[in-house]
Amino acid sequence: MAAVSFDYRNLIEVEGGLEEQEIEGIRPRLQEVARELAEQAPGFMRLPRATEYREAAAALAEEVRSSGATDFVHVGIGGSALGPMALHRALNHPFYNTLAEERPGPRLHFAENTDPVTLGGILDLVEPESTWVNVVTKSGSTAETMANFLVVRGALEEALGRFGYQKRTVVTTDPEKGFLKQIADREDLKLLEIPQDVGGRFSVLSPVGLLPAAVAGLDLTELLAGAAECVEEVSEGGAEHPAVTGAALHYLMDTQRGRNVRVMMPYADALERLAAWFVQLWAESLGKEGKGSTPHAAVGTTDQHSQVQLYMEGPQDKVIELVEVESGPDLQIPAAYEDLEGVGYLGGHSLRGLLNVECDATRRALTEAGRPNATVRVGTLNERNLGYLLQALEVQTAVAGALYGVDPYDQPGVEAGKRITYSRMGRPGY
Ligand code: PA5
């Protein structure tokens, strides 16, 4: 069983919090939305049970690992990168790439932005003769991804000769259309498919996230089992499931209380990228037709020394969502300087104990100051809990889309900039 729970009491009990009748008022619509979600089962709801993607990703990962690969370069942007990065940061060693013998797979590199300094840095590090590249783009034509791919391909071709790079190139894309699919066919590249009804930001549990996770030795079965648990619970619980209820509460906080900033603040460095993934999910899915709340990522305790002042005393426009990890690796704080009262009290506690006390302290301080907040509790950071949490946040976003009355699966607002880029870069037809 996944150990993930949602505590929304401080959205209701806090001064100025939501009233029972407001929540009751939205319940019939929420029940309808939850029923539709279960009936229509959009692509992302079916991924946890889609064994074919897990098997294909696991088999390819095994090929990568057994080939003696030293480096695996994942090229993609937006939804084609943020989910894989979130999984990597949450579940692998924090310094995975610099581990030597104990590292369970090749070094993982993410080429997301088209910043030449970053990609140049990756190319400085990798050993071309034992490097694999995975190009991930659902549309098969994203300029940033294709440009980064061409650079990596060029470097591998130079080191390995014409076509030498082909054996170690994976293409993760739409199974039927797009330029990348054409390239894969033309050069006989290995191909993993992104299901046609799953958009980028909802694709972390498709081959987009599964291949890099498996390459680094993560347990795909557990990851998907956690997500499947969430899907089952949502189908059974409908509007009562906390992920669904949470969508309504955040929606009401925005539309009825003017709290149009949603801060996700995990108290775990390992969840920093998860917050970045969620920011994209919420922003790109809901920010349409003048609607949507603005997601923001923070990390506790670090941002207690940066942003909490604003959350406590700044404009009353935010909902703060703390994410607490209840247990995991820990370090004891040795007793020392016991004669110095400002230091000695720390001895005998642990770093995780301190982290979680600080999370609780922030929650209480926010509540006392009349600042609405919620808490997501994760038992420990493992595949099962992460799978559940990712799926729950996707469900919440999809439900929020229905409440706002927008299509959570499109992103028309990013097209204009793309067209200008294509035209400036000389793409025919633009
Ligand atoms: O969520 C989305 O759909 C987007 O963020 C895309 O993932 C992003 O634009 C990259 O698109 P593609 O995977 O087609 O390269």
Side-chain angles (χ1 to χ4, degrees):
M1 284 281 287
V4 177
S5 63
F6 299 81
D7 182 348
Y8 298 121
R9 278 173 297 183
N10 293 337
L11 296 181
I12 297 160
E13 290 169 12
V14 72
E15 191 190 330
L18 294 168
E19 307 284 342
E20 206 46 53
Q21 71 260 29
E22 288 174 287
I23 301 170
E24 282 311 312
I26 202 169
R27 198 176 296 278
R29 174 72 186 126
L30 197 58
Q31 282 163 345
E32 197 184 334
V33 171
R35 196 171 45 249
E36 279 166 14
L37 188 73
E39 278 166 16
Q40 292 164 3
F44 81 92
M45 292 291 274
R46 295 200 304 275
L47 288 176
R49 293 259 178 246
T51 48
E52 67 272 28
Y53 300 125
R54 186 194 71 209
E55 283 163 8
L60 196 41
E62 193 42 45
E63 193 179 336
V64 173
R65 287 149 61 88
S66 61
S67 73
T70 55
D71 297 277
F72 183 87
V73 185
H74 179 107
V75 181
I77 196 164
S80 291
L82 290 161
M85 288 159 106
L87 284 175
H88 176 51
R89 186 69 184 88
L91 298 173
N92 288 324
H93 189 283
F95 301 102
Y96 174 91
N97 275 3
T98 48
L99 290 173
E101 252 119 73
E102 324 86 278
R103 199 181 52 235
R107 293 184 292 196
L108 285 191
H109 311 278
F110 292 95
E112 189 188 15
N113 198 359
T114 46
D115 186 331
V117 177
T118 309
L119 189 54
I122 292 173
L123 294 177
D124 285 344
L125 277 181
V126 302
E127 296 175 33
E129 39 315 310
S130 48
T131 292
W132 283 68
V133 58
N134 177 29
V135 204
V136 187
T137 160
K138 172 88 189 293
S139 61
S141 58
T142 299
E144 295 89 334
T145 300
M146 296 314 285
N148 280 343
F149 167 55
L150 292 176
V151 173
V152 177
R153 177 187 186 279
L156 296 188
E157 196 177 57
E158 199 179 299
L160 304 168
R162 185 99 175 94
F163 302 125
Y165 84 100
Q166 285 174 232
K167 282 194 280 249
R168 291 202 300 276
T169 297
V170 182
V171 152
T172 305
T173 193
D174 185 289
E176 283 172 20
K177 54 183 200 287
F179 294 106
L180 195 56
K181 167 78 170 105
Q182 286 182 38
I183 293 172
D185 290 346
R186 191 184 293 178
E187 299 192 335
D188 198 21
L189 304 176
K190 295 172 186 38
L191 190 136
L192 285 180
E193 67 176 75
I194 307 176
Q196 292 194 302
D197 56 357
V198 176
R201 55 194 175 274
F202 289 87
S203 70
V204 57
L205 299 174
S206 79
V208 171
L210 297 182
L211 177 63
V215 163
L218 296 181
D219 186 335
L220 301 188
T221 306
E222 276 291 291
L223 184 71
L224 293 171
E229 252 184 65
C230 176
V231 169
E232 253 163 56
E233 285 180 16
V234 167
S235 308
E236 281 166 20
E240 305 310 318
H241 189 277
V244 178
T245 314
L249 299 179
H250 283 286
Y251 168 77
L252 288 173
M253 273 289 172
D254 174 21
T255 56
Q256 305 303 308
R257 293 289 187 282
R259 294 190 171 274
N260 54 18
V261 180
R262 175 176 180 174
V263 178
M264 178 175 277
M265 187 171 183
Y267 271 69
D269 287 345
L271 295 181
E272 180 203 350
R273 299 306 306 177
L274 177 103
W277 167 83
F278 179 70
V279 163
Q280 187 229 1
L281 180 67
W282 191 259
E284 206 167 54
S285 301
L286 306 180
K288 287 157 203 176
E289 302 170 28
K291 300 174 188 171
S293 62
T294 302
H296 178 78
V299 172
T301 63
T302 308
D303 287 318
Q304 286 180 204
H305 303 270
S306 164
Q307 298 179 39
V308 165
Q309 171 63 39
L310 175 75
Y311 304 165
M312 287 289 289
E313 296 183 3
Q316 285 276 21
D317 60 354
K318 297 175 196 60
V319 173
I320 321 295
E321 184 163 48
L322 308 168
V323 184
E324 188 176 336
V325 180
E326 291 173 320
S327 65
D330 205 354
L331 290 175
Q332 295 305 309
I333 307 174
Y337 307 112
E338 282 160 273
D339 56 322
L340 301 180
E341 56 89 14
V343 183
Y345 72 96
L346 292 168
H349 292 287
S350 75
L351 287 187
R352 182 168 299 281
L354 176 61
L355 195 63
N356 287 345
V357 163
E358 296 216 32
C359 180
D360 190 46
T362 300
R363 177 170 40 248
R364 283 168 193 243
L366 288 168
T367 309
E368 279 166 24
R371 306 281 162 158
N373 60 87
T375 302
V376 179
R377 290 195 178 81
V378 180
T380 192
L381 290 183
N382 59 26
E383 285 89 338
R384 186 168 280 252
N385 291 340
L386 248 288
Y388 187 103
L389 181 58
L390 290 162
Q391 190 73 33
L393 291 170
E394 290 180 353
V395 165
Q396 189 165 104
T397 306
V399 172
L403 296 178
Y404 278 108
V406 298
D407 180 353
Y409 308 114
D410 68 2
Q411 53 283 326
V414 299
E415 291 308 316
K418 280 191 195 172
R419 280 197 301 275
I420 297 169
T421 302
Y422 291 150
S423 140
R424 295 272 304 275
M425 296 297 284
R427 179 173 168 179
Y430 288 83

